[in-house]
């Protein structure tokens, strides 16, 4: 068993806030609806309203976060593998077959989850908010003589409440279909999900691939100056995580087209991987080991890499810097560079890092 | 350990903070609530001058008219002023919601208690603020006929008798010297006694108000503010504010709670928001007739019938709070105590059924109070959208002209030989007398039509702690169960949604349990 980091801090925060709010709103809401008596109607209304205002604020934060981080893309329904997923739940799960899809930081949801969460986040919740707001605003409108029929609004709100309850039941049940029955819930609490070794390998590789894709996209978007935190975060997390360390990272980097290099304090290459060599193939450099990092760079680029080297050797981590390399036939190729100090016995003995080609 | 701290920071602590805010913050609180203590009830009880020192009043008055003359000799112009008032005319100009002008009042409006005043003035004028109104020949232009004392007597000794004349036992000199602003007793002299019985007509106006406890009426509480009627029914130049919707049709000149209490009197915004749809009375007057019985049924069908040739009266208790009286004089009456009001939508506009209006329905509504839930969306009268009001319903059966399809005025009061119902026990003679007096044709054949009238409950406001609670309306056993169009949270539900929702949840639950069992089996 290994653990892989899936849920970020804010995600975990809003998930549990949302959970408690939905349950609390259901409790107070059904009391207001007259199904039972617990707090008393007066208090139930007050608590329901307060929880509703809070939820609206949290929803604004969630949606802001979803759109800023691009996470919303994960909620867009897709047809691919939806049949596999259905088949898994009605057949495969009983035969002990593996999940047809993998959970990574970048694709947390299987196609059924996408459909369900899309419905939840983009249909049911907005409907509940809209009907709730109309409900709250009714008297303001009434005051100005512009009342409207509250009955259909209330009925829609009740329908939404039943659907939310149904969602909660199914959702809680499906959390037990992970690696172990409590794996999914633990993951939502700590961020780290337990997985089988093979699954974890696939997921970590996928995470890195996606991180690189994202960083590449963002580097291109921002013209190379953006600090790519997500890439760095994922990589460092994959490397520092206790269990993830067991995975052959170099192998994965090779598969995922990340060039790796290590340079000692004197600026001399100590190690590069095959991908690095592939990226530099057209520059006439076959094997850089033993050579200085300035290599065949132009004077301008030399200044940049010297600058970077100085910074990293003095302890800083640099991510997503865009660099150029000159080919033998005079072309200029581009890649991004992320580098961090290479420690040995708490002393910086050089730098190591990754390069990703951005020309394709 | 580090993980634990993170879980604390990311999940547990934020949730504790969020839910404590939800629990303790009260955005419903009105920041600057209306403070009743700021309302000062001014004292008008003392008269500016000691009338006992006036030469004009130092006489042995023989008649009420002589007193009135003395009053008007100083209070010049007040006579003319008063003679324009409803208390004198028993008529007023009003408008219907469609703009039509009407003239109506106690004088010409039929009711479903004693039916109507015309032809019975000898008796009914006991409550006219004048002297000698016996028939249609009464001189409404003669200020000497004004009865000043019935409203301004402060000795509580003044009494009126038939034809509106002072009881001969009354010491008019003493009463005249002790006049003052009208007290509860003055107004109550007539207004408590509608239909000839304390609390009989309105159900919320009885002698008890003269000296009541806080629990009975917060405003008139003798140990509290002890407000008189005119504190709310503000009076200027003898024009008294207030409408009774059995003789009014428009939302004019009403005495309202908001005058003092504002339209946002509560400390809770949610409670204040009820103002748009709920009249204050609805929550703050939860019962009526708590002290004295009030009529809810008067069936004239068996009036003027005798048992074994004798005039009879049988009184039976149906329940501890309700009594039925079968007698020759009235037919059948039911009077009750401790009633909960009925509730209606009302927008302050009414239509009064008059003697010359055709009867087109049964039960015939004597005073149609307009208003409906639809007013919330498209108000019939945009200035006065409907609100839910408490009312007392008065039902009964009364004579009508079968051929002309109109209500009948009956001459009820009179001595034997005059043709009055209570004198000769003869319907035909009584109807002939009554119809002649109101100048309406009578076909000769009469029947009994069921009628209903609505009596808005406005008095006996009880302390806040005894008002309706949320659950009184917002529950399955809502007191507003008669009003089905409006959506009331906690009361209303759509059966299909409810059933569908419960079935969905049960099926989901079963599905989940079934799936789990299959999974466990597959594992084993």
């Amino acid at each position: 068993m290994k653990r892989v980091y899936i849920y970020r801090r804010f995600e975990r925060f809003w998930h549990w806030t949302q959970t408690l709010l939905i349950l609390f709103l259901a409790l107070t809401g059904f009391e207001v609806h007259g199904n039972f008596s617990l707090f008393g109607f007066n208090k139930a209304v007050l608590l329901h309203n307060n929880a509703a205002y809070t939820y609206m604020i949290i929803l604004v934060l969630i949606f802001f976060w979803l759109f800023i981080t691009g996470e919303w893309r994960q909620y867009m329904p897709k047809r691919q593998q939806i049949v596999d997923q259905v088949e898994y739940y009605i057949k495969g799960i009983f035969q002990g077959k593996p999940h047809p899809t993998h959970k990574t930081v970048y694709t947390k949801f299987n196609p059924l989850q996408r459909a369900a969460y899309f419905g939840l986040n983009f249909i049911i919740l907005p409907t509940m908010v809209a009907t709730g707001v109309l409900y709250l605003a009714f008297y303001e409108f009434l005051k100005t003589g512009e009342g409207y029929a509250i009955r259909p609004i209330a009925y829609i709100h009740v329908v939404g409440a039943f659907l939310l309850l149904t969602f909660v039941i199914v959702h809680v049940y499906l959390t037990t279909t992970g690696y172990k029955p409590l794996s999914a819930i633990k993951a939502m609490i700590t961020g780290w999900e337990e997985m089988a070794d093979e699954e974890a390998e696939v997921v970590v590789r996928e995470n890195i691939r996606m991180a690189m894709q994202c960083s590449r996209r963002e580097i291109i978007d921002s013209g190379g100056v953006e600090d790519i935190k997500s890439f760095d975060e994922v990589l460092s997390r994959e490397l520092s995580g206790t269990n993830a360390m067991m995975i052959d990272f170099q192998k994965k980097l090779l598969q995922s087209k990340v060039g790796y290099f290590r340079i000692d304090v004197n600026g001399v290459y100590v190690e590069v991987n095959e991908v690095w060599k592939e990226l530099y193939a057209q520059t006439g450099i076959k094997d850089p080991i033993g050579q200085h990092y300035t290599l065949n760079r132009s004077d301008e680029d030399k200044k940049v890499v010297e600058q970077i080297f100085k910074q990293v050797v003095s302890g800083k981590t640099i991510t997503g810097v865009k660099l150029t390399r000159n080919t033998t036939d005079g072309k200029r190729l581009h890649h991004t560079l992320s580098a961090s100090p290479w420690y040995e016995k708490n002393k910086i003995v050089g730098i190591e890092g990754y390069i990703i080609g951005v020309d394709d | 350990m580090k993980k634990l701290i993170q879980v604390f920071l990311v999940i547990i602590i934020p949730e504790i903070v969020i839910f404590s805010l939800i629990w303790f913050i009260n955005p419903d609180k009105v920041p600057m609530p209306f403070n009743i203590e700021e309302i000062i009830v001014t004292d008008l009880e003392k008269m500016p001058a000691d009338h006992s020192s006036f030469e004009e009043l130092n006489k042995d008055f023989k008649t009420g008219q002589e007193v009135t003359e003395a009053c008007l000799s100083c209070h010049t112009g007040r006579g003319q002023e008063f003679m324009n008032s409803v208390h004198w005319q028993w008529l007023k100009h009003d408008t219907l919601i469609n703009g039509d002008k009407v003239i109506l009042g106690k004088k010409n409006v039929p009711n479903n208690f004693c039916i109507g005043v015309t032809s019975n003035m000898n008796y009914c004028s006991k409550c006219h603020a004048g002297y000698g109104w016996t028939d249609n020949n009464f001189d409404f232009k003669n200020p000497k006929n004004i009865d000043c004392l019935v409203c301004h007597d402060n000795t509580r000794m003044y009494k009126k008798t038939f034809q509106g004349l002072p009881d001969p036992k009354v010491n008019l000199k003493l009463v005249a010297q002790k006049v003052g602003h009208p007290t509860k007793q003055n107004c109550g002299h007539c207004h408590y006694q509608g239909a000839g019985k304390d609390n009989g007509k309105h159900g919320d106006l009885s002698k008890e108000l003269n000296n009541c406890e806080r629990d009975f009426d917060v405003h008139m509480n003798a140990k509290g503010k002890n407000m008189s009627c005119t504190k709310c029914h503000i009076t200027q130049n003898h024009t008294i504010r207030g409408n009774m919707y059995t003789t009014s049709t428009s939302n004019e000149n009403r005495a309202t709670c908001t005058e003092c209490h504002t339209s946002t009197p509560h400390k809770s915004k949610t409670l204040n928001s009820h103002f748009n749809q709920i009249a204050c009375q609805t929550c703050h007057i939860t019962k009526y007739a708590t002290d004295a019985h009030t009529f809810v049924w008067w069936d004239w069908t068996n009036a003027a019938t005798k048992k074994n040739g004798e005039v009879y009266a049988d009184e039976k208790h149906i329940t501890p709070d309700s009594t039925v009286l079968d007698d020759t004089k009235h037919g059948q009456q039911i009077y009750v105590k401790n009633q909960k009001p009925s509730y209606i939508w009302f927008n302050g506009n009414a239509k009064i059924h008059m003697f010359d209006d055709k009867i087109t329905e049964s039960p015939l509504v004597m005073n149609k109070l307009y208003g409906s839930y639809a007013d919330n969306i498209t108000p019939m009268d945009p200035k006065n959208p409907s609100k839910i009001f408490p009312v007392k319903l008065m039902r009964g059966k009364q004579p009508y002209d079968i051929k002309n399809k109109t209500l009948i005025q009956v001459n009820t009061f009179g001595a034997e030989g005059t043709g009055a119902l209570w004198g000769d026990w003869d319907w035909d003679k009584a109807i002939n007398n009554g119809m002649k007096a109101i100048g309406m044709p009578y076909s000769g054949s009469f029947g009994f039509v069921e009628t209903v009238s609505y009596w808005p409950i406005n008095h006996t406001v009880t302390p806040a702690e005894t008002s309706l609670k949320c659950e009184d309306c917002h529950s399955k056993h809502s007191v507003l169960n008669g009003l089905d169009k409006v959506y009331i949270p906690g009361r209303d539900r759509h059966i299909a949604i409810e059933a569908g929702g419960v079935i969905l949840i049960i099926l989901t639950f079963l599905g989940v349990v079934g799936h789990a069992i299959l999974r466990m089996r597959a594992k084993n």
Side-chain angles (χ1 to χ4, degrees), chain A residues 9 13 16-17 32-33 41 46 50 54 89 94 135 139 142-143 147 150-151 154 162 166 170 173 176-177, chain B residues 10 15 22 25-27 273 277 376 471 474 484-487 489-490 493 498 504 508 515-516 518-519 522:
Chain A
R9 246 177 262 139
F13 160 73
W16 290 112
T17 310
V32 172
H33 193 48
F41 189 86
L46 184 69
N50 276 2
T54 312
Y89 281 129
F94 304 122
Y135 214 131
Y139 286 101
L142 202 58
K143 258 191 230 166
I150 200 95
R151 185 179 291 269
F162 277 118
T166 312
V170 176
Y173 171 66
T176 65
T177 63
Chain B
V10 172
E15 299 314 328
I22 289 176
I25 286 186
N26 186 355
S273 73
Q277 288 173 300
N376 281 312
E471 286 88 348
H474 294 280
D484 54 358
K485 288 226 172 61
V486 58
Y487 181 85
R493 56 207 54 219
E498 235 48 31
L504 177 69
T508 307
H515 198 266
L518 286 177
R519 257 173 71 206

Side-chain angles (χ1 to χ4, degrees), chain B residues 4-153:
Chain B
L4 211 65
I5 290 170
Q6 230 202 27
V7 170
F8 255 96
L9 286 177
V10 172
I11 300 166
I12 297 174
I13 291 171
E15 299 314 328
I16 290 173
V17 171
I18 287 172
F19 277 85
S20 342
L21 290 178
I22 289 176
W23 191 266
F24 292 111
I25 286 186
N26 186 355
D28 197 42
K29 233 183 202 163
V30 177
M32 299 272 284
F34 163 76
N35 182 6
I36 189 67
E37 302 303 326
E38 284 169 19
I39 301 289
I40 296 156
V41 180
T42 50
D43 191 15
L44 273 178
E45 303 306 325
K46 289 191 197 92
M47 286 296 271
D50 177 10
H51 281 62
S52 58
S53 63
F54 295 156
E55 193 61 35
E56 287 82 353
L57 299 178
N58 194 14
K59 286 181 205 161
D60 287 316
F61 298 109
K62 295 218 172 48
T63 62
Q65 279 93 339
E66 285 177 28
V67 181
T68 305
E69 244 177 304
C71 298
L72 294 176
S73 65
C74 295
H75 297 279
T76 53
R78 295 297 169 200
Q80 290 305 322
E81 187 181 284
F82 179 74
M83 286 192 298
N84 289 326
S85 77
V86 183
H87 280 96
W88 173 257
Q89 299 266 343
W90 282 16
L91 278 181
K92 68 173 176 183
H93 294 267
D94 215 334
T95 43
L96 294 176
I97 191 156
N98 61 12
D100 287 358
K101 303 277 178 219
V102 285
I103 297 174
L104 79 177
K106 197 168 176 57
K107 189 179 174 184
N108 63 354
V109 164
N111 65 59
N112 59 353
F113 294 85
C114 315
I115 299 171
V117 296
T118 316
S119 74
N120 302 312
M121 286 314 300
N122 273 333
Y123 183 84
C124 297
S125 60
K126 261 173 129 174
C127 276
H128 182 237
Y131 300 122
W133 183 3
T134 56
D135 55 28
N136 295 348
N137 300 320
F138 180 68
D139 185 2
F140 283 96
K141 300 233 161 82
N142 183 0
K144 283 184 200 161
N145 285 337
I146 297 169
D147 183 351
C148 305
L149 298 177
V150 69
C151 299
H152 291 286
D153 161 42

Side-chain angles (χ1 to χ4, degrees), chain B residues 344-507:
Chain B
I344 56 159
W345 288 100
F346 180 40
N347 65 13
N349 294 282
K351 165 95 171 60
I352 309 294
H353 185 95
M354 309 293 280
F355 278 110
D356 51 3
D357 289 332
K358 295 284 177 205
I359 297 167
T360 55
E361 56 182 358
S362 173
L364 168 68
V365 180
M366 308 291 282
N367 57 334
K368 213 160 256 157
L369 303 188
Y370 289 120
S372 71
Y373 159 71
D375 262 17
N376 281 312
I377 297 151
T378 46
M380 180 188 203
D381 175 1
K383 267 189 279 173
N384 308 299
S386 289
K387 293 185 182 197
I388 295 171
F389 274 84
V391 288
K392 169 195 152 177
L393 257 58
M394 173 66 192
R395 297 173 185 281
K397 286 183 181 176
Q398 66 193 80
Y400 79 110
D401 187 320
I402 292 177
K403 287 193 185 129
N404 291 335
K405 299 266 185 264
T406 57
L407 283 179
I408 279 171
Q409 170 63 51
V410 184
N411 171 207
T412 43
F413 181 79
E416 209 176 328
T418 59
L421 191 70
W422 294 342
D424 296 333
W425 310 113
D426 184 330
W427 273 109
D428 269 316
K429 283 185 193 163
I431 292 171
N432 271 316
N433 281 358
M435 293 304 269
K436 206 192 274 175
I438 61 169
M440 288 266 299
Y442 170 48
S443 70
S445 54
F446 71 96
F448 291 87
V449 61
E450 190 166 341
T451 53
V452 58
S453 57
Y454 293 88
W455 294 78
I457 304 286
N458 295 315
H459 305 103
T460 61
V461 173
T462 52
E465 60 269 20
T466 62
S467 59
L468 288 186
K469 299 285 168 289
C470 304
E471 286 88 348
D472 289 326
C473 297
H474 294 280
S475 69
K476 278 175 207 158
H477 310 292
S478 173
V479 299
L480 301 179
N481 270 349
L483 305 173
D484 54 358
K485 288 226 172 61
V486 58
Y487 181 85
I488 302 178
R491 183 194 74 162
D492 292 327
R493 56 207 54 219
H494 193 286
I495 295 166
I497 293 175
E498 235 48 31
V502 171
I503 290 170
L504 177 69
I505 283 172
I506 290 172
L507 288 183

Side-chain angles (χ1 to χ4, degrees), chain B residues 22 71 160 162 166 197 199 202 242 325 336 405 435 469:
Chain B
I22 289 176
C71 298
K160 277 169 82 77
F162 299 117
K197 181 184 166 328
N199 208 23
H202 294 261
L325 170 71
V336 295
K405 299 266 185 264
M435 293 304 269
K469 299 285 168 289

